[in-house]
Amino acid sequence: MIPKAIFFDMDGTLSTHGTHRVPESALAALQAVQAQGIKIFLATGRHPQLFNPTVKTIPFDGHLALNGQFGYNDNEVIYRKTIPQADKQALVAHLRQHPSSIVFFTEDEMYFNLVDEYAERGMAYLGDPMLPVRDPAICLEQNIFALLAYCDERTEAEFMQHMPGSLSVRWSPMFTDVIPFGGGKDKGIDAMLAYYDISLAETMAFGDARNDIGMLSHVGLGVAMGDATEEVKAAADYVTDRLEEDGIATALQHFGVI
C-alpha cells in the first residue's frame, strides 16, 4: 500500500529525546516521500512554539499539535478541540487546595500555575525552556487545548476525578498529557483527511509513545519505532528500527514507499 498521507510523531520518532537531533536519513526519507506527491504531517503532543528547530524547517503539509487538538496548515486552522469549561473550573478550584505544577496551552501561549521539583525534572528531560507563571484562573477566559501535568499518578488521579470531560494520557513517570475527552491524534487525523479529501485507508503513521497508540491503531498502516514500549508496538502493524538506526527510512523502504 502506497499511502497518500503519512503522519509523524516528533519526540522519539522524528527527533531524539534530549538532543532533539533529526537524523539525516529521516530528513532524506521525508524529502523522497514528498517528491512522490505524498503529503506529510506532524502529529505531536507539543505546542507549536515548542517544536524542534530542525523539525520546524521541514515543509509539512499540515500540523497536528497538542496531541491532535489543534490542526493547521500554512493557510488556515483546520481543527480545534478544547477542554470543557466545567473541567477548567473544577481544576482551578482543586489547585487552590492541592497545588501541583501544570502547563496550560492556548492557541498562542503557554504558562505554568507554579513550578515545583516535578516540573523542573520534567522540563530538563524534555529540554523545554522556562515558561511564565500565571494565575490558573486565567484559563477560565481562554480556550485551553491541552494541559501538561508534572506529577505522579496519585496526584493525577486526584485532579482527574474532577474533570469528567477530559482524558489523561501518561507517557512518562514525570508527567501526563491531559486532553479533551473524545480528542486525540486520531481525531485530528480525521479532520485533516477530510480537509484534504484523503481516505483513512490511504494513510500511514509513525510513533513511539503511549499518546501515539490511538493514532497507530487508527490509520491504514501504523509503524512503531524500535524503542517503543511493548504496548505501543502491539498497537502497530509494523515495528521498525530505532530512530538512530534509520528506522523511518527502513520502514518506508520496507513498504515500497521510497
Side-chain angles (χ1 to χ4, degrees), residues 79-94:
Y79 179 72
R80 292 183 175 95
K81 189 172 181 63
T82 59
I83 291 177
Q85 185 72 5
D87 282 25
K88 293 189 294 179
Q89 292 172 334
L91 176 61
V92 169
H94 179 79

Side-chain angles (χ1 to χ4, degrees), residues 6-7 34 39-43 59-65 71-74 78 192 196:
I6 307 178
F7 296 81
Q34 281 192 308
K39 297 188 180 301
I40 61 171
F41 301 89
L42 186 67
F60 289 103
D61 294 283
H63 302 78
L64 291 173
Y72 62 97
N73 59 21
D74 289 341
I78 295 169
M192 198 66 75
Y196 284 102

Side-chain angles (χ1 to χ4, degrees), residues 83-84 86-88 90-91 159-167 179-182:
I83 291 177
D87 282 25
K88 293 189 294 179
L91 176 61
F159 70 76
M160 285 304 300
Q161 68 178 328
H162 303 294
M163 302 178 67
S166 302
L167 175 68
I179 62 175
F181 189 82

Side-chain angles (χ1 to χ4, degrees), residues 7 64 67-69 71 79 183-193:
F7 296 81
L64 291 173
N67 281 309
Q69 312 328 300
Y79 179 72
K185 293 185 180 183
D186 53 329
K187 301 301 189 297
I189 285 174
D190 287 343
M192 198 66 75
L193 295 180

Side-chain angles (χ1 to χ4, degrees), residues 115-150:
V115 178
D116 58 15
E117 180 184 353
Y118 264 101
E120 290 174 349
R121 286 194 289 131
M123 292 175 69
Y125 172 76
L126 292 173
D128 287 346
M130 179 56 68
L131 303 176
V133 176
R134 305 180 68 183
D135 183 342
I138 294 170
C139 79
L140 301 179
E141 307 301 323
Q142 299 173 315
N143 288 322
I144 301 297
F145 292 86
L147 307 168
L148 177 58
Y150 290 99

Side-chain angles (χ1 to χ4, degrees), residues 59 61 64 96 134 151 165 185 195 213 250:
D61 294 283
L64 291 173
R96 291 195 185 105
R134 305 180 68 183
C151 63
K185 293 185 180 183
Y195 179 90
I213 289 176
T250 297

